[in-house]
Amino acid sequence: MLKAVYEWIDGRLDITPMWRDVADHEVPEHVNPAHHFSAFVYCFGGLTFFITVIQILSGMFLTMYYVPDIANAYASVDYLQHKVAFGVIVRGMHHWGASLVIVLMFLHTLRVFFTGSYKNPREMNWVIGMLTFGVMLGLGFTGYLLPWDNKAYFATKVGIEIAASVPFIGETIQNFLQGGDIVGAETIARFFALHVFFLPGVLLALLAAHFILIRKQGISGPL
């Protein structure tokens, strides 16, 4: 039955050539851990993408229960943590994944830098990678406030004050992030919108461009 469904879809969308192009694509020998132990350093990019997918899927689950206002945010997280089936597991995955994805992306960036993979003709992909790193940091910062506990509140307040110290544009950044005179209802609404809608949209666009360029230019060689 599954074969019949696949053939029905393939007859209309012609997906087999696309699948063959992906499945039959050869991986260079220097990135195969079975041949070179040092090839493990080339796995950081794939691991970063894997954790990013987990973050997206777990985040979709969390948004079904989270209420982004100061009266109900903490209660909704507490309900998710203690009353929803598997809620504590999914939230734990999202919580720890937020830190792990930054660590893996940092290691991936170090690998790209020290192997010279940012050089011609891959300069544009390096720029896209740096923008992706910035978006990831933004996702971590905006997501930190959402549980609306004391640690989240004061950490976000300190972060906004640091942003406000940027010369010339600091006050503009503060007003944009805070949404008012204090860290309050407007702030959590803005952080939720940035965390769930705007930044993920930018992230997906950057990842698509990143993978297209990798496929076009190939995986860089060893140092």
Side-chain angles (χ1 to χ4, degrees), residues 154-170:
F154 287 107
T156 301
K157 188 174 181 180
V158 170
I160 292 177
E161 289 174 353
I162 293 173
S165 66
V166 176
F168 305 113
I169 61 172

Side-chain angles (χ1 to χ4, degrees), residues 85-141:
F86 306 108
V88 63
I89 297 176
V90 177
R91 184 175 178 243
M93 292 169 60
H94 198 76
H95 173 80
W96 293 108
S99 299
L100 182 60
V101 73
I102 297 298
V103 173
L104 288 173
M105 182 166 284
F106 179 70
L107 293 174
H108 178 56
T109 303
L110 287 180
R111 196 280 301 167
V112 171
F113 179 78
F114 284 112
T115 58
S117 302
Y118 59 89
K119 298 178 181 179
N120 183 31
R122 298 179 173 84
E123 299 96 332
M124 185 57 68
N125 222 2
W126 172 262
V127 173
I128 291 174
M130 291 296 97
L131 292 174
T132 304
F133 205 159
V135 170
M136 281 293 191
L137 292 174
L139 284 165
F141 180 63

Side-chain angles (χ1 to χ4, degrees), residues 143-209:
Y144 204 85
L145 176 66
L146 300 184
W148 198 245
D149 54 12
N150 284 333
K151 183 172 68 172
Y153 173 82
F154 287 107
T156 301
K157 188 174 181 180
V158 170
I160 292 177
E161 289 174 353
I162 293 173
S165 66
V166 176
F168 305 113
I169 61 172
E171 186 177 352
T172 302
I173 296 174
Q174 181 183 25
N175 291 335
F176 171 74
L177 293 175
Q178 201 161 269
D181 297 329
I182 62 171
V183 176
E186 295 88 351
T187 313
I188 197 171
R190 291 196 177 195
F191 273 46
F192 179 77
L194 288 169
H195 189 74
V196 175
F197 299 110
F198 294 101
L199 290 177
V202 176
L203 176 65
L204 292 176
L206 289 172
L207 288 177

